[in-house]
Amino acid sequence: MAFIRERRLAANGMDFFIAEAGEPGAPLVLCLHGFPECWASWRYQLPALAQSGYHAVAPDLRGYGETGGPAEVDAYRQSRLVADVVALIEALGADRAVLIGHDWGCALAWQVARRHPERVAAVVGLSVPYGGPSPKPPTEAMRDLFRDHFFYMLYFQRPQTPEQELEADVEDSLRRMFHSLSADGIEDFSVAPDSTGVLQAMQPPAAPPRWMRDEDLAYYVARFKKTGFTGALNWYRAMDASWRQQKEDGRERIHPPALFIAGKEDPVIQFAGKALERMPTMMDDLREVILLDDLGHWIQMEAPEAVNRHLGAFLDSL
């Protein structure tokens, strides 16, 4: 953390909070976090990337942390989020960047690469494979698949109810989510068909894991206590509008060099198996698909050494 600097940066009409390491003017690597996270999910990657000669930057994305954002769902359509990333690249003085994204940040990185390949030197996706646009709106596809059973993305479509659940005890909510989707907690993760909330299926860890110590968790808790969960949840609520925009622009393929890394125990990989199979057919230059044993959803925190090693090898290959 001693290598990491923090500051604010104006881009696309927003006042972004960013953390960075390395020298401005060096090749830019932009790291995009997911839910329910902030820039700090890249705390193990920024110094390593800087030591390899890159200007490594991780923002609190729109709706999150010290950046915050509007309360309107429409402000979180994919086109707005993509414009944020392009504007950040420009504000950081670069023509293009290597994008590394995890979870929602991964989905966003794929979309920036799809819509603006001239801005993307290469793209690395963690945990969320790219299979191209689905044939029907995401929430419709999810309702067809899960029917009356509980599914968290459909639950997140409800106004205020998810916020009330997650904000009742922010520390407990985050502790449960981080643990239950990790390799250590996945055995305890079980969703009942009649679940009425997202936390019902999640148990807190018996002891803090080495990759999410109490002091690490406190950093996330302070951010969500400040902003609440509405901005973060609006990324889910804007899914169908984002899907319509993607279908309308007609672009499907990803052209820049790409790498995909995920944990084999990640439930997202189980859910997105078809996208994982289609991904090589949707990309012009997918260098490698790496599935890491005994890791869950938070791979860059659960196994930073392994992830940094694969990132370094990919960047060297460019």
Side-chain angles (χ1 to χ4, degrees):
M1 298 288 280
F3 292 95
I4 296 174
R5 309 178 300 276
E6 299 176 347
R7 64 183 170 106
R8 307 196 76 88
L9 185 66
N12 197 31
M14 298 279 293
D15 185 25
F16 284 91
F17 180 92
I18 67 168
E20 60 187 336
E23 294 301 318
L28 177 61
V29 177
L30 196 57
C31 301
L32 310 175
H33 68 78
F35 175 89
E37 303 177 74
C38 65
W39 79 262
S41 293
W42 304 105
R43 60 193 178 275
Y44 300 119
Q45 281 68 51
L46 295 184
L49 290 165
Q51 289 174 336
S52 296
Y54 294 93
H55 181 202
V57 178
D60 281 353
L61 291 168
R62 178 183 289 245
Y64 283 89
E66 294 295 323
T67 297
E72 298 79 17
V73 172
D74 190 60
Y76 297 85
R77 284 180 290 123
Q78 200 69 248
S79 60
R80 302 281 182 90
L81 304 174
V82 167
D84 286 346
V85 176
V86 172
L88 281 167
I89 293 171
E90 294 175 348
L92 289 161
D95 293 324
R96 59 184 191 154
V98 174
L99 301 183
I100 304 175
H102 171 254
D103 187 78
W104 264 117
C106 177
L108 177 55
W110 296 138
Q111 293 303 317
V112 178
R114 182 185 68 82
R115 291 173 61 96
H116 296 284
E118 75 284 356
R119 295 290 194 176
V120 179
V123 58
V124 181
L126 306 185
S127 302
V128 179
Y130 177 76
S134 64
K136 58 178 67 175
T139 60
E140 182 180 335
M142 291 170 191
R143 289 188 179 93
D144 289 346
L145 180 62
F146 291 96
R147 299 187 182 277
D148 294 331
H149 288 215
F150 180 89
F151 184 58
Y152 76 100
M153 289 192 186
L154 294 175
Y155 173 68
F156 286 167
Q157 304 303 309
R158 302 179 189 176
Q160 294 305 313
T161 301
E163 283 95 329
Q164 291 169 2
E165 180 187 9
L166 297 174
E167 292 171 9
D169 186 335
V170 173
E171 181 176 341
D172 180 65
S173 297
L174 293 177
R175 193 185 298 277
R176 287 171 183 261
M177 285 189 281
F178 283 129
H179 173 64
S180 296
L181 299 181
S182 72
D184 293 334
I186 199 67
E187 290 184 2
D188 301 326
F189 179 57
S190 178
V191 180
D194 58 351
S195 291
T196 57
V198 71
L199 298 177
Q200 273 183 255
M202 301 180 178
Q203 301 300 318
R210 55 176 175 72
W211 57 270
M212 185 59 78
R213 303 165 300 168
D214 282 339
E215 53 264 46
D216 299 324
L217 183 66
Y219 192 87
Y220 290 85
V221 170
R223 275 163 155 67
F224 279 99
K225 281 186 175 180
K226 180 175 181 178
T227 62
F229 282 84
T230 295
L233 292 169
N234 280 346
W235 288 53
Y236 293 92
R237 292 166 179 152
M239 287 190 304
D240 285 354
S242 297
W243 173 84
R244 285 191 290 271
Q245 287 185 324
Q246 185 176 351
K247 294 290 284 187
E248 288 167 3
D249 73 29
R251 301 174 186 172
E252 294 186 353
R253 300 191 61 77
I254 290 177
H255 303 300
L259 170 69
F260 182 73
I261 313 173
K264 286 185 178 179
E265 306 304 317
D266 187 345
V268 174
I269 291 299
Q270 314 303 320
F271 174 66
K274 291 183 179 179
L276 187 64
E277 291 177 4
R278 288 197 303 268
M279 186 163 56
T281 70
M282 301 301 299
M283 297 185 178
D284 294 343
D285 191 7
L286 178 59
R287 302 287 176 91
E288 197 170 5
V289 173
I290 299 169
L291 299 180
L292 299 174
D293 292 326
D294 303 319
L295 291 179
H297 187 59
W298 321 104
I299 55 173
Q300 76 270 39
M301 294 187 282
E302 291 183 61
E305 298 88 353
V307 170
N308 289 352
R309 185 172 63 252
H310 289 299
L311 290 176
F314 174 68
L315 293 172
D316 287 346
S317 75
L318 302 174

